[in-house]
Amino acid sequence: MGSKPSKTRLHVAATGPPEPARALVIPRGQVSRPRSISPPPIGMYDVALLNVVAVNPSGNIYPVLADVVSPQAYDLTNLLRDRSGDKETNVMLQELQYVVENLVYHITEIMPSSGVLGTHRKSAVFELVRNGKRFPDGYFWQAELDRLQFTDNGRTTNIGDAEAFLLIVGIFISRSLVTTLLMKPVDYGLSSQPLTDVGERNLKILATTMLYLVRRVSTLRGKTMLPPPGEISKYLYTDEEMRPIFSKLGRSFNYSEGLLREWGQEYITRIRAAPISTKN
């Protein structure tokens, strides 16, 4: 599916209180972001995915996130100040690159032949990408609704490969990782106690970065990149705030996009080729 990022862990130990990030000023006349709401409740498929993808201390994803929420973690919001060449900045950037690439790598390792995530016609993933699926009210963000088609009674229709890919990436990353584990880390098992302010800010940086990746990889060729989901804007930094970080993650984004595209297409191909009479 792709080469794995280096297994060498980049253990980062802060030697003192991190310097606070420079205040970000909204220019006069700029429209404020839409009023945000709490992350929507997840459905039964998301719960099943969450158990496999994220909340599993003995799995691969949980340890990747541990360093950015530990009491010794650097404050990654210092990267918003764009201090290129600074040694500490480079270490923090490497830490973020490590986390993003390894999260994507481990997610794209998931493609079982059986079970709730299996490549068969009784799996949750098959149900997710089939035509005629009715999703709970409020499941989709507006940016996703604009990409999908629905019948008069609210069921999905004309689900091609691009739409199926949007749905798969949306459930594995946008929902089972970002709006659950990263936005509610205590509720969903990443931590047994409230995080430090640094840990909370680091997860906000990571959530924004992972959703930016989803927006990039889900955008059709020749089209404008999907906008950030205004429904959860309270839990994200703006693209403008994140510009100093995004501009330095090009190689990580390219690596991650390649893995996600290959994995998503293979998932879709296997599901659609699954025999109707399979016993799972």
Side-chain angles (χ1 to χ4, degrees):
M1 194 62 66
S3 59
K4 185 176 182 179
S6 172
K7 289 185 178 180
T8 302
R9 294 302 303 271
L10 180 62
H11 290 288
V12 181
T15 57
E19 184 180 350
R22 183 177 59 194
L24 294 159
V25 180
I26 299 177
R28 183 183 298 275
Q30 179 173 316
V31 178
S32 61
R33 287 177 286 169
R35 185 174 64 87
S36 59
I37 59 175
S38 298
I42 57 176
M44 63 178 180
Y45 297 140
D46 301 85
V47 172
L49 282 166
L50 184 65
N51 289 332
V52 176
V53 175
V55 188
N56 181 4
S58 62
N60 293 318
I61 290 178
Y62 193 99
V64 172
L65 295 172
D67 281 353
V68 297
V69 298
S70 74
Q72 293 76 36
Y74 272 115
D75 187 344
L76 297 181
T77 59
N78 284 297
L79 292 172
L80 299 174
R81 295 182 299 135
D82 195 17
R83 293 176 58 179
S84 300
D86 178 84
K87 182 177 180 180
E88 189 172 87
T89 297
N90 290 338
V91 172
M92 288 187 285
L93 183 62
Q94 290 173 31
E95 176 75 356
L96 182 57
Q97 290 170 329
Y98 165 84
V99 173
V100 170
E101 292 179 16
N102 278 272
L103 285 177
V104 171
Y105 178 83
H106 291 307
I107 287 173
T108 57
E109 285 187 307
I110 300 170
M111 197 187 301
S113 59
S114 61
V116 69
L117 304 181
T119 53
H120 57 87
R121 290 178 176 261
K122 294 182 180 179
S123 76
V125 182
F126 178 85
E127 181 72 10
L128 177 78
V129 302
R130 71 173 177 84
N131 280 304
K133 169 68 178 172
R134 186 178 183 88
F135 288 83
D137 291 342
Y139 180 88
F140 291 111
W141 297 322
Q142 187 59 50
E144 295 169 320
L145 288 173
D146 292 342
R147 278 282 310 278
L148 299 170
Q149 296 181 42
F150 298 87
T151 63
D152 291 341
N153 61 0
R155 297 183 182 277
T156 54
T157 186
N158 296 325
I159 300 296
D161 286 356
E163 292 76 21
F165 180 76
L166 174 71
L167 291 167
I168 288 176
V169 173
I171 199 171
F172 272 90
I173 298 181
S174 302
R175 290 171 178 81
S176 294
L177 179 65
V178 173
T179 62
T180 52
L181 194 63
L182 300 187
M183 292 186 179
K184 294 185 176 182
V186 176
D187 292 347
Y188 292 101
L190 179 60
S191 176
S192 59
Q193 56 188 357
L195 299 181
T196 64
D197 289 344
V198 169
E200 292 280 3
R201 290 195 295 269
N202 285 352
L203 290 187
K204 186 175 180 179
I205 289 282
L206 185 57
T208 308
T209 302
M210 295 303 293
L211 282 181
Y212 185 82
L213 174 61
V214 168
R215 291 162 54 202
R216 277 181 52 138
V217 77
S218 301
T219 298
L220 297 175
R221 181 171 298 181
K223 299 293 185 180
T224 303
M225 188 171 71
L226 296 178
E231 295 88 341
I232 56 171
S233 60
K234 175 182 178 180
Y235 302 91
L236 305 172
Y237 290 101
T238 66
D239 284 356
E240 183 61 31
E241 290 170 335
M242 291 290 290
R243 188 183 302 276
I245 295 177
F246 291 160
S247 65
K248 296 179 177 64
L249 291 179
R251 292 180 63 180
S252 293
F253 284 145
N254 290 337
Y255 167 83
S256 299
E257 282 189 47
L259 286 184
L260 286 170
R261 291 185 191 280
E262 182 182 353
W263 167 77
Q265 187 55 58
E266 183 64 20
Y267 224 135
I268 294 165
T269 299
R270 292 188 188 185
I271 285 175
R272 290 182 170 165
I276 296 176
S277 60
T278 186
K279 295 180 180 180
N280 282 287

